C-alpha cells in the first residue's frame, strides 16, 4: 500500500515518509446536493424509519413567470367614464336652431343665413347662404333695430342650395320658376297666398323625390295654382291640403 498523499510505502498503518495515519479509516467526504430535490422529514409522531418521498422543484429558469396585470381593464373603465361624462356634459345644440326629432326647423331661420336687400321698409330675400338643412322663413325680420316685413316676392332662393325641408310664410305671392331647382327638398310647405302668375307657373317641375307637400289652400286652389297639373308631373308622394304651418313640429 502506498500513501495517497506522497506515494511513500505505508507500514504498520502509517506512511514511512509523511506519517499519515491509515489505521483509522477517514470518512468519505459528503457530496453537496446541488439538485432542487429534498426529502420530506419524518413526521414527529412517528420516529420509525420510512421511505421518504422526494419532491422536485423546477429550476428557477424553467418556473412559469408570474403574469403582470394588464392595464387594459383600467383603460376601458376610464374610457367608459369619459364617455359617460361627455354624454352628460357634452356640447348641446341650441334647440331654437336645430331639431333632430322633426323634419322641420324648430325655429325661424335667422336673417344672417340669407343674402338680402332692403327697400321701402321690406326685406327682399335673394339667396339662402346658411348651413342648416331645415329652413323656416319668418314673416318679418329685425335688422339693425328695425322691423322689416318679408317682401311678397322671393327670388330663386334655394336654387342649387342643399336643404331637406322648407317652410314659406303666408304673404308670399310670387316666386321664380326655379326657386327649388336642384335643392333636394323632401318636405315643403307652400302658403295659400301664392297666386297663379307667369313666374310661379311650372315651379313644381323642379321638385324631385319630394315625400310630402303641405299646402295652405284647398285642393281646388292647388289645381288653380299649378294650372291643373297632372299628378304625374308633380314628383311628390303626397300632397296635404289646408295645412297649417303651426302644426308642422
Amino acid at each position: 500500500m502506498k500513501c495517497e498523499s506522497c506515494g511513500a510505502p505505508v507500514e504498520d498503518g502509517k506512511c514511512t515518509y509523511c506519517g499519515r495515519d491509515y489505521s483509522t479509516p477517514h470518512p468519505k467526504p459528503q457530496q453537496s446536493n446541488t439538485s432542487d430535490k429534498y426529502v420530506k422529514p419524518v413526521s414527529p409522531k412517528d420516529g420509525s424509519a420510512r421511505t421518504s418521498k422526494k419532491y422536485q422543484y423546477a429550476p428557477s429558469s424553467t418556473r412559469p413567470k408570474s403574469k403582470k396585470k394588464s392595464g387594459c381593464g383600467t383603460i376601458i373603465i376610464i374610457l367608459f367614464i369619459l364617455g359617460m361624462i361627455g354624454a352628460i356634459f357634452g356640447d348641446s345644440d341650441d334647440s331654437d336652431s336645430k331639431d333632430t326629432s322633426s323634419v322641420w326647423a324648430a325655429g325661424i331661420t335667422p336673417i344672417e343665413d340669407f343674402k338680402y336687400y332692403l327697400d321701402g321698409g321690406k326685406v327682399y330675400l335673394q339667396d339662402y347662404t346658411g348651413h342648416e338643412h331645415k329652413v323656416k322663413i319668418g314673416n318679418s325680420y329685425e335688422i339693425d333695430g328695425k322691423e322689416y316685413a318679408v317682401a311678397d316676392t322671393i327670388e330663386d332662393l334655394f336654387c342649387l342650395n342643399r336643404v331637406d325641408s322648407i317652410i314659406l310664410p303666408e304673404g308670399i305671392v310670387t316666386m321664380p320658376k326655379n326657386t327649388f331647382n336642384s335643392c333636394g327638398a323632401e318636405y315643403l310647405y307652400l302658403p295659400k297666398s301664392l297666386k297663379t302668375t307667369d313666374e310661379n307657373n311650372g315651379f313644381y317641375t323642379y321638385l324631385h323625390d319630394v315625400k310630402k307637400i303641405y299646402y295652405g289652400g284647398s285642393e281646388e286652389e292647388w289645381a288653380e295654382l299649378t294650372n291643373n297639373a297632372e299628378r304625374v308631373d308633380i314628383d311628390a308622394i303626397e300632397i296635404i291640403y289646408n295645412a297649417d304651418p303651426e302644426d308642422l313640429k
Side-chain angles (χ1 to χ4, degrees):
M1 177 178 179
K2 293 184 178 181
C3 178
E4 295 177 358
S5 298
C6 62
V10 177
E11 296 179 0
D12 299 327
K14 289 185 179 182
C15 176
T16 58
Y17 181 77
C18 65
R20 180 175 178 178
D21 188 5
Y22 286 89
S23 60
T24 302
H26 294 276
K28 294 183 179 180
Q30 296 182 354
Q31 296 181 351
S32 59
N33 186 11
T34 58
S35 66
D36 287 317
K37 299 180 181 180
Y38 73 96
V39 178
K40 185 178 180 181
V42 178
S43 172
K45 295 182 179 180
D46 188 0
S48 61
R50 61 177 65 177
T51 304
S52 55
K53 296 180 180 180
K54 294 183 179 181
Y55 297 84
Q56 183 174 358
Y57 286 85
S60 58
S61 59
T62 60
R63 294 176 188 172
K65 296 181 180 180
S66 59
K67 295 182 178 180
K68 295 183 179 179
K69 294 184 178 179
S70 175
C72 293
T74 303
I75 294 175
I76 292 174
I77 294 174
I78 293 174
L79 291 177
F80 176 77
I81 295 174
L82 292 176
M84 294 295 294
I85 294 175
I88 297 173
F89 300 102
D91 295 337
S92 59
D93 293 327
D94 185 355
S95 59
D96 291 337
S97 60
K98 295 183 179 179
D99 181 15
T100 58
S101 62
S102 172
V103 299
W104 305 104
I108 301 297
T109 302
I111 191 62
E112 292 78 15
D113 286 354
F114 298 97
K115 180 181 178 182
Y116 64 90
Y117 66 92
L118 304 175
D119 187 21
K122 294 183 178 181
V123 54
Y124 290 79
L125 304 179
Q126 296 178 288
D127 189 23
Y128 176 65
T129 58
H131 300 289
E132 297 299 328
H133 291 171
K134 305 173 185 178
V135 180
K136 182 178 182 180
I137 299 176
N139 295 97
S140 63
Y141 285 97
E142 182 178 340
I143 303 173
D144 296 331
K146 184 178 178 179
E147 196 76 16
Y148 291 87
V150 172
D152 61 359
T153 180
I154 58 176
E155 300 187 19
D156 48 353
L157 200 57
F158 301 101
C159 180
L160 304 179
N161 293 317
R162 180 68 178 91
V163 290
D164 294 333
S165 65
I166 302 169
I167 298 178
L168 298 182
E170 288 294 337
I172 300 296
V173 176
T174 60
M175 59 185 178
K177 182 179 178 179
N178 65 340
T179 296
F180 307 111
N181 183 13
S182 302
C183 71
E186 296 181 339
Y187 298 88
L188 186 65
Y189 175 83
L190 299 176
K192 179 180 179 180
S193 57
L194 280 173
K195 301 300 181 181
T196 303
T197 66
D198 291 339
E199 289 190 27
N200 292 343
N201 185 29
F203 73 89
Y204 49 85
T205 60
Y206 286 93
L207 299 176
H208 302 287
D209 300 321
V210 178
K211 293 181 179 178
K212 290 184 179 180
I213 295 177
Y214 292 79
Y215 176 57
S218 65
E219 186 173 359
E220 291 75 17
E221 290 171 313
W222 174 261
E224 181 181 353
L225 176 63
T226 59
N227 291 320
N228 294 303
E230 298 291 337
R231 284 291 286 111
V232 293
D233 297 326
I234 304 175
D235 192 1
I237 296 176
E238 184 178 5
I239 300 176
I240 301 171
Y241 306 102
N242 299 309
D244 187 345
E246 296 302 320
D247 294 334
L248 304 179
K249 304 296 184 181

